[in-house]
């Protein structure tokens, strides 16, 4: 059976492409052409029906991902399902189950069952956790076991995989020669690097990339090439190891697209504001326009507790310059596993960033949303303003908590509302 | 008595300049030269001792302002003083008392008494509210009464005044010829425009600008030239009325500096991300490097309830490109008068933006803060991380609420903490 890329190359307009075209108001043929050349991806495993499909890549709207998942300290599936519900309700376009709890397969199965949006995973986590159980130590893990995990997760319906194929022996050696402030902060990257060091073997996501492409092809899974060498501090931003990995990911991405496999590239991380433009430009160049999936980026390291804001700044700017997919960051980042409120705040902050980027990318539908809000603001129609807001309930609740004496204004200005004064004056005129 | 500008022109290094130099690690002579040419201002009324002086303008750190003040619906001075305390504790460099409640002079007096940081006001509010009381209608207000308010507020110790001198007959006519989605959203600007329309007179802040300079000189007050024509929707961004006003403000700023009066320029407002760079460049050009005080800018209109985030994005980018002073925006913006929690969130979001901009402006002390945080993160020293965070209490509380089984990691990754894995591996090596 042909993959989405292959169908589009054959000049077909597959059904997912038509659905996305209708939802975004973009010509289906343009989307199909972008899928064929690898600049738009549509995460949708053949084995699963995704209720809310999404396309990722210009000229589509910037998409956002929310991360869920258990950890050794929090293994409550019900809590994760509740977070899933909140994330989707607040506007997450995809979710990733990053569970590293003992029963992560059970969690994933529940998430796949309940998620209306595409689901991504980082399969190396399960491979390591299985090896720990089987051998008492993750160093026992073998490359065929890694492939087996990919195969099982694919069969279970996962829509996209993060694979850290850039954490190669060559690149880890480069990292040792170019020391950094915080080394390798990627969890999957650090696990792999440790395994490579202990076993002396090459990273299986790199050495068995062809096998992985075969699995991805079979299920038409999107590969998300992970940035194990991403900077985890603004002090490490845009250094040689980061860029060496990005170049390698670009080569592997080209190989994937040639094989008919959809692929996107993961990006940093912690990047000071004045480096962001260059980061995106390099990604677009090295990776020939493959969709760029940025993890933030955070523009400072000192905002812990409010990292959703540091990330919203970086994400919005990255989106303006061409990042296509924003991974949310919650206020809990660097401190703890996020709770439900953290998830909500993370998704909303990321939506603001994506929307701000869409305006800067001249997306007509995004502009239409601001037009509607401003029209409601002009006539001081408070329910209409709430309806136009990214979080209508929050708007309505804040309004309820603070009612003005005059019903058509707010308690900030009262009768001195500039909108009201102008309205009265134009009636008088 | 000579003003700060004049003293600096005479080659002196006045004490406030020395204090600021010490606090910022910048040469006092460089600051004095910048004050002399009008690219740094130091708000500090001669009649008042400001405990925490601040300088505004490159190469100093980007500063932030928090707005307080009563409204016709909320006239509780104690609440405003409590907000003042919170704003200053969270890092506001200045505060503005924007009261429009009936007893606004009483509120201001309390704020001036308790504020350790410079205090700004918008004197037109008091002028109009007095006229309402005296004549039953603000249209009765006379230009000498406006000057009297300025004089009294100066005598009371206000450190900087927002004066909407760009809302001239010419510019309001331009606004009528170039209609906008949301017209004039500035409260002071709209009040003035209405008065001008009803009385047929020119804006007294423009027609009496010389008199205003005399008052500002006498108390060495900083004038903040308000942007009454600022866009209140991204749909109105960077239009002709906005730019015409900015040009006029540039001329008036030059006149102020010649007269030895410190001056800064207020800027938008609602600006989509891709317009920000141009806005800053035009301000710097038209206003010959006068410090730029931006109100946000918000990069979208639909984030009401979370406008502190939409503003943090715009502010950080504006700061990178040269804005020197960021007016915070709270989550309550467009919905209600902010409460204490709103004030806190607004200040923190603005601090993140200012700090992100400082990193992009290569401020060494800002980089040092990130260096300290990353060093604490690397060794998983949780109390040290809290101490480096913008909001140490929030960090510590989030950590307390979610204790991991292993004491040196967090509940996000547990034993799979990349920092911990790297630390163990380097010990083993």
């Amino acid at each position: 059976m042909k993959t989405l890329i292959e169908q589009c190359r054959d000049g077909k307009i597959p059904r997912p492409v038509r659905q996305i075209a209708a939802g975004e108001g973009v010509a289906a043929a343009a989307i199909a052409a972008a899928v064929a050349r690898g600049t738009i991806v549509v995460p949708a495993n053949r084995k699963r029906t995704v209720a809310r499909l999404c396309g990722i890549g210009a000229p589509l709207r910037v998409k956002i991902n929310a991360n869920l998942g258990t950890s050794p300290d929090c293994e409550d599936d019900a809590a994760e399902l509740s977070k899933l519900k909140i994330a989707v309700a607040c506007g997450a376009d995809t979710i990733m189950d990053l569970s590293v709890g003992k029963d992560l397969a059970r969690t994933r199965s529940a998430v796949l069952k309940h998620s209306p949006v595409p689901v991504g995973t980082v399969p190396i986590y399960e491979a390591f956790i299985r090896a720990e159980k089987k051998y008492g130590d993750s160093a026992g893990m073998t490359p065929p076991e890694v492939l087996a995990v990919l195969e099982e997760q694919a069969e279970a319906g996962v829509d996209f995989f993060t694979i850290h194929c850039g954490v190669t022996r060559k690149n880890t050696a480069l990292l040792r020669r170019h020391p950094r402030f915080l080394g390798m902060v990627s969890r999957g990257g650090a696990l792999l690097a440790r395994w490579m060091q202990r076993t002396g073997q090459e990273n299986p996501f790199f050495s068995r990339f062809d096998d992985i492409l075969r699995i991805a092809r079979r299920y038409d899974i999107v590969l998300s090439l992970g940035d194990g060498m991403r900077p985890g501090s603004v002090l490490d931003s845009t250094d040689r190891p980061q860029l060496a990995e990005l170049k390698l990911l670009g080569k592997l991405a080209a190989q994937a697209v040639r094989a008919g496999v959809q692929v996107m590239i993961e990006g940093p991380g912690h990047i000071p504001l004045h480096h962001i433009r260059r980061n995106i430009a390099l990604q677009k160049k090295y990776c020939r326009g493959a969709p760029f999936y940025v993890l933030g980026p955070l523009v400072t390291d000192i905002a812990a507790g409010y990292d959703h804001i540091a990330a919203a700044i970086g994400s919005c700017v990255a989106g303006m310059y061409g990042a296509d997919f924003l991974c949310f960051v919650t206020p809990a980042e660097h401190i703890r596993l996020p709770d439900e409120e953290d998830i909500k705040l993370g998704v909303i902050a990321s939506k603001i960033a994506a929307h701000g980027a869409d305006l800067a990318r001249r997306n007509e539908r995004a502009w239409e949303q601001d037009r509607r809000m401003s029209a409601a603001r002009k006539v001081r129609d408070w329910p209409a303003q709430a309806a136009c807001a990214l979080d209508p309930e929050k708007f309505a609740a804040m309004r309820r908590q603070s009612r003005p004496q005059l019903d058509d204004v707010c308690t900030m200005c009262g009768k001195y509302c500039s909108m009201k004064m102008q309205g009265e004056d134009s009636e008088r005129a």
Side-chain angles (χ1 to χ4, degrees), chain A:
Chain A
M1 195 177 161
K2 291 195 169 179
T3 65
L4 198 71
I5 286 190
E6 291 164 338
Q7 294 171 55
C8 290
R9 267 187 205 143
D10 290 348
K12 301 237 169 52
I13 311 268
R15 200 165 53 142
V17 168
R18 284 200 304 273
Q19 277 179 26
I20 288 164
E24 301 242 8
V26 174
I31 298 176
V35 169
R37 70 174 173 267
T39 60
I40 286 179
V41 298
V42 181
N45 184 323
R46 278 192 187 124
K47 289 280 171 178
R48 199 170 92 86
T49 305
V50 175
R52 297 197 207 163
L53 275 179
C54 77
I56 299 165
L60 305 179
R61 290 187 71 153
V62 174
K63 303 302 185 300
I64 67 169
N65 173 73
N67 292 333
L68 311 170
T70 59
S71 81
D73 286 306
C74 309
E75 305 218 40
D76 180 352
D77 285 0
E80 296 312 305
L81 289 180
S82 173
K83 291 180 199 171
L84 165 66
K85 214 167 165 179
I86 290 167
V88 172
C90 292
D93 297 293
T94 68
I95 68 106
M96 288 192 78
D97 174 6
L98 303 186
S99 291
V100 288
K102 272 193 295 294
D103 262 323
L104 80 182
R106 189 194 62 205
T107 312
R108 183 177 56 248
S109 159
V111 166
L112 281 166
K113 188 174 159 197
H114 290 97
S115 175
V117 299
V119 174
T121 60
V122 182
I124 192 66
Y125 298 157
E126 184 168 15
F128 275 116
I129 287 167
R130 278 194 196 179
E132 277 178 355
K133 281 184 199 156
K134 187 169 169 188
Y135 305 110
D137 186 330
S138 61
M141 182 189 79
T142 66
E145 286 168 350
V146 174
L147 294 176
V149 167
L150 287 169
E151 185 83 41
E152 282 177 43
Q153 292 200 6
E155 188 65 31
V158 172
D159 303 295
F160 61 106
F161 283 156
T162 289
I163 59 168
H164 296 94
C165 45
V167 181
T168 58
R169 290 166 66 100
K170 196 173 154 191
N171 283 339
T172 52
L174 193 65
L175 193 60
R176 280 191 295 275
R177 283 202 309 280
H178 293 88
R180 283 177 165 183
F181 213 80
L182 284 191
M184 198 185 292
V185 298
S186 154
R187 192 164 65 181
L191 283 162
L192 273 166
R194 182 159 71 169
W195 179 86
M196 289 158 65
Q197 201 183 358
R198 292 191 187 168
T199 64
Q201 292 184 58
E202 181 55 283
N203 174 352
F205 291 110
F206 177 69
S207 61
R208 305 290 185 104
F209 193 67
D210 286 331
D211 294 317
I212 293 168
L213 289 182
R214 268 190 286 279
I215 296 169
R217 264 191 62 83
R218 199 163 342 120
Y219 297 90
D220 211 354
I221 282 175
V222 172
L223 295 181
S224 186
L225 307 190
D227 54 337
M229 318 287 269
R230 70 173 171 270
S233 160
V234 288
L235 299 155
D236 295 332
S237 165
T238 327
D239 66 357
R240 280 198 58 188
Q242 182 198 329
L243 296 183
E245 180 186 53
L246 182 62
K247 264 191 189 167
L248 175 59
L249 299 185
K251 283 182 196 158
L252 295 171
Q255 194 180 329
V257 172
R258 277 196 302 273
V261 171
Q262 300 182 85
V263 67
M264 57 189 170
I265 308 291
E266 294 184 16
H270 291 237
I271 299 282
L273 193 55
H274 60 298
H275 287 186
I276 293 177
R277 184 176 194 165
R278 184 166 162 240
N279 267 269
I280 310 289
L282 288 175
Q283 186 272 348
K284 291 284 164 188
K285 182 176 140 191
Y286 293 162
C287 307
R288 304 175 201 194
F292 199 23
Y293 176 23
V294 286
L295 314 176
L298 301 172
V299 297
T300 172
D301 301 350
I302 68 164
Y306 302 88
D307 271 337
H308 60 311
I309 298 178
I313 296 169
S315 293
C316 191
V317 173
M320 171 171 70
Y321 288 128
D324 306 289
F325 191 27
L326 312 176
C327 187
F328 87 157
V329 172
T330 79
E333 187 75 20
H334 300 108
I335 309 180
R336 68 174 189 205
L337 199 74
D339 64 18
E340 294 182 5
E341 181 66 10
D342 294 324
I343 295 286
K344 179 181 172 179
L345 291 174
V347 172
I348 297 274
S350 197
K351 282 295 275 187
I352 293 171
H355 182 79
D358 281 335
L359 294 180
R361 289 161 77 135
R362 282 77 159 175
N363 184 294
E364 253 317 305
R365 293 204 173 183
W367 278 94
E368 186 52 35
Q369 286 181 261
D370 285 59
R371 200 169 286 123
R372 277 198 300 272
M373 171 60 101
S374 288
R377 194 168 277 164
K378 185 173 189 164
V379 296
R380 286 155 287 129
D381 179 338
W382 297 93
Q385 287 181 65
C388 292
L390 276 175
D391 183 354
E393 280 172 34
K394 173 92 184 284
F395 188 109
M398 289 178 83
R399 168 93 185 148
R400 264 197 313 276
Q401 286 154 16
S402 175
R403 293 304 295 255
Q405 293 163 41
L406 300 170
D407 219 38
D408 61 342
V409 295
C410 89
T411 56
M412 170 76 95
C413 302
K415 64 178 174 175
Y416 303 110
C417 171
S418 62
M419 295 289 116
K420 186 179 170 80
M421 288 191 279
Q422 290 188 93
E424 288 168 354
D425 291 346
S426 67
E427 275 164 33
R428 215 168 286 179

